[in-house]
Amino acid sequence: MIALCLSNFIAFKISGKNKKKRIWAGIIILLLTPLVFFITGISVSPFDPGGFGTGILMVSYSFLFAVNGIIIIIIGLFTKKSLNS
């Protein structure tokens, strides 16, 4: 969950109110979703010998990460154009 909050903070801090940067931040977060999927699996699998809990955690956390990226893209689409660009 720390990575999810950190990615949100970085995306909004770097993009500011710039529409293009916010959309690109959402796309980058969507592209990082498979990486989050595998890192979650690698870090949780030693604690779950059966693997079922690890799979559920991997899918649910990756789903939240992907939805986060989609929401950032939607917010970027509805953001007014920046005065700086």
Side-chain angles (χ1 to χ4, degrees):
M1 287 307 200
I2 293 172
L4 186 64
C5 294
L6 189 63
S7 67
N8 260 347
F9 178 74
I10 290 172
F12 285 106
K13 194 70 170 173
I14 290 175
S15 67
K17 293 199 181 265
N18 193 335
K19 185 175 185 170
K20 289 181 185 178
K21 284 184 181 179
R22 191 163 291 174
I23 292 172
W24 276 109
I27 291 171
I28 290 171
I29 288 176
L30 277 177
L31 292 175
L32 287 176
T33 301
L35 182 68
V36 169
F37 180 80
F38 289 117
I39 289 175
T40 303
I42 290 170
S43 62
V44 175
S45 63
F47 303 108
D48 185 24
F52 187 72
T54 302
I56 290 174
L57 190 63
M58 288 167 59
V59 169
S60 61
Y61 190 59
S62 297
F63 175 75
L64 287 174
F65 210 77
V67 168
N68 183 34
I70 292 170
I71 290 173
I72 290 174
I73 291 172
I74 291 172
I75 290 172
L77 289 174
F78 290 112
T79 301
K80 292 183 180 179
K81 257 206 184 279
S82 173
L83 297 174
N84 296 335
S85 37

